[in-house]
């Protein structure tokens, strides 16, 4: 039977590329989205990938959402925690909501989702969890105390969960993309983005498909010896 992969934020941006490439690699894929129903419908029509709507920042939504998926499709073998938002502003202007929403969606979501699948993965002796972090969780970024904190948190979460499950056939890894050509960059002022692009030795933004390739590898049987690691993919902008 085909392995089942679930991708959060799986209908747009990097998540969309991950969903499509996991499907091409032979997995059954479920893409979870939250807000953009129109985009999700178009995505299913185009790719044949089924979508489910729920809010990964909310524990109860994840509980009922994953329960419905498992009931219909069976246990989840591969979980990609990709869903993320930005609310960029300097700390002295940041309100509590901008802080809290980013932490909940980008970091607490990892707990909310992993908590639903981990026991079943442990019982079955197989699992792949791939968390999408960011260059800005590694180096920090002006205007992103909320996002940088959440994405750095994802790296710690990944390393701890990897240790807890290493003997159970479950690997837990993070990918830390740099600046990738997606809708998320629409909120970055043009001049700022031009300056950032100049800092990338490769001289260009990344492509969602490039990140997806790495996720497909980490999901594979061949990546069984890689756990607790962070794959940095940023065109050389920040070297760790
Ligand atoms: N370093 C140092 N100083 C900076 C700076 C920087 N990077 N950016 C701005 N400043 C300075 C400005 O020069 C200005 O100084 P003065 O007051 O002396 O003139 C001051 O900070 C305020 O700047 P702004 O008026 O531009 O402030 P703002 O509140 O309107 O906007 C901002 C600030 C929101 C941070 C905006 O510059 C911005 O959006 N920056 C990009 C942030 C970013 O990279 N986000 C990534 C989004 S994509 C993503 O997150 C995906 C991923 O994983 C990579």
């Amino acid at each position: 039977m085909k392995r089942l992969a679930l991708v959060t934020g799986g209908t747009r941006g990097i998540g969309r590329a991950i969903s499509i490439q996991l499907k091409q690699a032979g997995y059954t894929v479920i893409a979870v989205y939250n807000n953009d129903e129109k985009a999700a419908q178009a995505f299913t029509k185009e790719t044949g990938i089924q979508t489910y709507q729920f809010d990964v920042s909310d524990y109860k939504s994840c509980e009922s959402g994953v329960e419905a998926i498992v009931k219909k499709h069976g246990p989840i073998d591969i979980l990609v925690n990709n869903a993320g938002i930005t609310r960029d502003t300097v700390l002295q202007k940041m309100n509590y909501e901008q802080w809290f929403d980013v932490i909940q969606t980008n970091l607490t979501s990892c707990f909310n989702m992993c908590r639903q699948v981990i026991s079943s993965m442990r019982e079955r002796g197989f699992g792949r969890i791939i968390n999408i972090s960011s260059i800005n969780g590694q180096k920090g970024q002006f205007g992103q105390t909320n996002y940088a904190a959440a994405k750095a948190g994802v790296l710690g979460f990944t390393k701890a969960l990897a240790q807890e499950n290493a003997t159970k056939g479950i690997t837990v890894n993070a990918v830390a993309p740099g600046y990738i050509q997606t809708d998320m960059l629409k909120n970055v002022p043009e001049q700022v983005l031009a300056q950032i692009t100049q800092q990338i030795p490769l001289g260009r933004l990344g492509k969602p498909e490039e990140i997806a390739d790495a996720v497909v590898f980490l999901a594979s049987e061949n990546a069984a010896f890689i756990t607790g690691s962070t794959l940095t993919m940023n065109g050389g902008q920040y070297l760790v």
Side-chain angles (χ1 to χ4, degrees):
M1 213 168 98
K2 283 185 175 183
R3 291 202 190 280
L4 182 65
L6 187 157
V7 184
T8 69
T11 63
R12 296 194 300 137
I14 293 174
R16 172 191 168 86
I18 294 170
S19 296
I20 291 170
Q21 284 173 227
L22 282 171
K23 187 181 180 210
Q24 285 167 353
Y27 301 98
T28 301
V29 179
I30 304 292
V32 174
Y33 71 99
N34 189 25
N35 292 316
D36 199 339
E37 188 165 352
K38 232 170 135 187
Q41 282 171 357
F43 171 80
T44 301
K45 206 170 161 196
E46 190 188 328
T47 63
I49 294 171
Q50 201 169 330
T51 62
Y52 280 75
Q53 187 279 327
F54 60 88
D55 179 359
V56 295
S57 74
D58 180 76
Y59 186 81
K60 292 271 173 219
S61 294
C62 294
E63 203 173 35
S64 53
V66 171
E67 198 184 321
I69 291 166
V70 170
K71 208 168 168 189
K72 179 134 191 241
H73 305 275
I76 291 156
D77 301 299
I78 295 147
L79 170 63
V80 184
N81 286 310
N82 163 76
I85 58 169
T86 54
R87 298 286 183 267
D88 292 356
T89 186
V90 288
L91 187 84
Q92 67 269 24
K93 294 186 199 165
M94 189 178 289
N95 61 36
Y96 182 74
E97 211 170 23
Q98 289 168 323
W99 169 263
F100 187 73
D101 288 353
V102 169
I103 298 294
Q104 290 302 103
T105 303
N106 297 10
L107 176 59
T108 307
S109 59
C110 290
F111 169 77
N112 292 344
M113 290 301 294
C114 289
R115 188 66 184 81
Q116 311 309 324
V117 304
I118 200 73
S119 298
S120 161
M121 286 180 175
R122 287 173 66 91
E123 278 160 26
R124 288 176 295 115
F126 180 87
R128 294 280 185 269
I129 296 174
I130 299 139
N131 299 320
I132 306 302
S133 177
S134 164
I135 183 176
N136 293 342
Q138 296 173 304
K139 73 166 187 59
Q141 169 63 32
F142 193 104
Q144 285 201 312
T145 49
N146 49 5
Y147 187 89
K151 293 297 190 179
V154 168
L155 299 180
F157 176 91
T158 299
K159 291 173 191 178
L161 192 64
Q163 289 176 40
E164 290 178 10
N165 292 283
T167 60
K168 301 287 181 190
I170 302 168
T171 66
V172 188
N173 291 291
V175 175
Y179 283 72
I180 308 300
Q181 191 74 63
T182 68
D183 284 352
M184 200 176 247
L185 292 187
K186 282 187 183 158
N187 296 326
V188 179
E190 216 170 288
Q191 266 173 306
V192 176
L193 191 58
Q195 277 169 9
I196 289 170
T197 309
Q198 278 176 5
Q199 294 162 14
I200 304 174
L202 255 68
R204 65 167 176 89
L205 300 172
K207 298 176 195 161
E209 294 75 18
E210 292 173 317
I211 305 304
D213 273 337
V215 172
V216 171
F217 170 64
L218 290 171
S220 72
E221 301 283 346
N222 290 349
F225 200 57
I226 304 173
T227 197
S229 76
T230 301
L231 182 52
T232 296
M233 305 182 72
N234 60 33
Q237 186 186 346
Y238 184 67
L239 303 175
V240 283

